[in-house]
Amino acid sequence: MDLCWRREMEGKLAHDYLSSAKSHHGKMTSPHGPHRISVVTGPVIVGAGPSGLATAACLKEKGITSVLLERSNCIASLWQLKTYDRLHLHLPKQFCELPLIPFPDHFPTYPTKQQFIEYLEDYAQRFDIRPEFGHTVESAEFDENLGMWRVKSVGEEGTTEYICRWLVAATGENAEPVVPRFEGMEKFEATGVVKHTSHYKSGRDFAGKRVLVVGCGNSGMEVCLDLCNFDAQPSLVVRDAVHVLPREMLGTSTFGLSMLLLKWLPIRLVDRFLLVVSRFILGDTTLLGLNRPRLGPLVLKNRTGKTPVLDVGTLAKIKTGDIKVCSGIRRLKQNEVEFDNGITERFDAIILATGYKSNVPSWLKENKMFNKKDGFPIQEFPEGWRGESGLYAVGFTKRGIFGASMDAKKIAQDIFECSRKSNQTHRHIQVLCMSRKSGQTYSRLLE
């Protein structure tokens, strides 16, 4: 960034905020404390999960420094703070690597939760990625006059507004838990426990108790198995059709075999193969109350993003009766659940394995790239990573870490080409602050 551009930007910002200060009796005020303004000559990345780390690393490799904002106090907060103890990667490690650095050779095929966290922490350290922790982004909006993005975040030290040319939304598909409301939930909560899987750690807390798990995805199935291992009595609500596949078939991972076959065969033929082999290994799941969808597992994944369940032992427990399959919930009562089929049963706790959702619409103020209803890019994969005016999305492909890594590489390359054309250097310059004590504004340029 040349000196003329820096002076012009500083002057515009100073004029805007000093004019605002006059309307507040000469002071810049904020309900959250002092107001800082920071001009960022590289991108601002919102979210320090795997997607944000991957993007920051790919940019760093091209000599571009970014500012990474994270509302929590650690990287990968979903993995560190909101996952259960027994969690392993559901896919082989080679499909869950971030760009540029593979998993250590001594890691197992399906790394544990803690091993994955160690990998991410080492990844951040090797690329010297230092997120701004405790910064919750309240809004991000493109300023047509400046030709820049204004990103406002709130932290313990007050409000900071980042001014940047590029903005990367990396909060991903799993930013907020989905917590459904059932009729009579408050009655059940008066005497029983209702918690989302984001607050579930181990079946040890439910030993000897009757527990209803709502949701039959990978998390719901695995939580049921975990409860069984600690002598709880789990039941599983299965409302929709679901594909259950063995985690491995023919001596290799089901996912890896699928990717290999898709290089040579049409997707519908691969689906048929997977279902035939799954039936041979697992049996007819419809006899267990697990009806299969009309569409095959891979076609369904591509169209809706719904992931097939990779069985790690839960089906065996369903077959032996250790896990009971139930229909949908009609209403809750005190210590009781009434199901759609009219049966009422007693439970001590309910675990909601009902997934997560994007939170992008709550903070990103734009109407062209993201769908306001579900918080996903309007353009489907592989076109949804780039929007207008320097806006990007990573971690919204419905293809896990593998898809996020693909988008991170594209984003870094695109920003690199844009920055090279404009002949900018990449530094972080703080240009305007407000004193906490005096309330006076002052300008500062950091080289």
Side-chain angles (χ1 to χ4, degrees), residues 36 41 51 360 367:
R36 270 193 330 162
T41 57
S51 298
V360 170
N367 299 308

Side-chain angles (χ1 to χ4, degrees), residues 71-87:
R71 63 182 176 180
S72 187
N73 61 356
C74 60
I75 64 169
S77 61
L78 177 67
W79 281 86
Q80 298 214 49
L81 306 177
K82 299 179 180 179
T83 51
Y84 42 91
D85 295 342
R86 67 156 286 141
L87 179 63

Side-chain angles (χ1 to χ4, degrees), residues 173-292:
E173 304 166 8
N174 302 314
E176 304 290 346
V178 174
V179 181
R181 299 297 301 177
F182 298 102
E183 179 185 343
M185 183 176 282
E186 64 284 349
K187 294 179 181 178
F188 189 94
E189 289 176 320
T191 55
V193 174
V194 179
K195 64 168 61 178
H196 190 269
T197 47
S198 57
H199 299 290
Y200 174 92
K201 293 301 178 185
S202 170
R204 184 181 295 107
D205 301 328
F206 300 93
K209 296 182 179 181
R210 293 172 58 88
V211 184
L212 181 65
V213 179
V214 181
C216 58
N218 280 294
S219 294
M221 291 283 198
E222 196 164 1
V223 165
C224 278
L225 182 61
D226 189 50
L227 288 165
C228 278
N229 292 339
F230 286 98
D231 297 322
Q233 302 170 48
S235 295
L236 177 66
V237 170
V238 179
R239 188 180 60 181
D240 301 319
V242 58
H243 279 300
V244 182
L245 308 177
R247 187 170 69 171
E248 297 186 344
M249 57 174 61
L250 305 182
T252 187
S253 77
T254 299
F255 183 81
L257 181 60
S258 301
M259 295 301 100
L260 179 63
L261 292 175
L262 285 173
K263 293 181 179 180
W264 309 101
L265 301 172
I267 188 170
R268 294 184 184 277
L269 191 56
V270 176
D271 269 342
R272 289 183 188 177
F273 171 81
L274 293 177
L275 293 176
V276 169
V277 177
S278 295
R279 179 159 183 152
F280 177 77
I281 296 174
L282 303 176
D284 186 358
T285 60
T286 60
L287 300 178
L288 305 175
L290 303 171
N291 297 317
R292 290 194 180 278

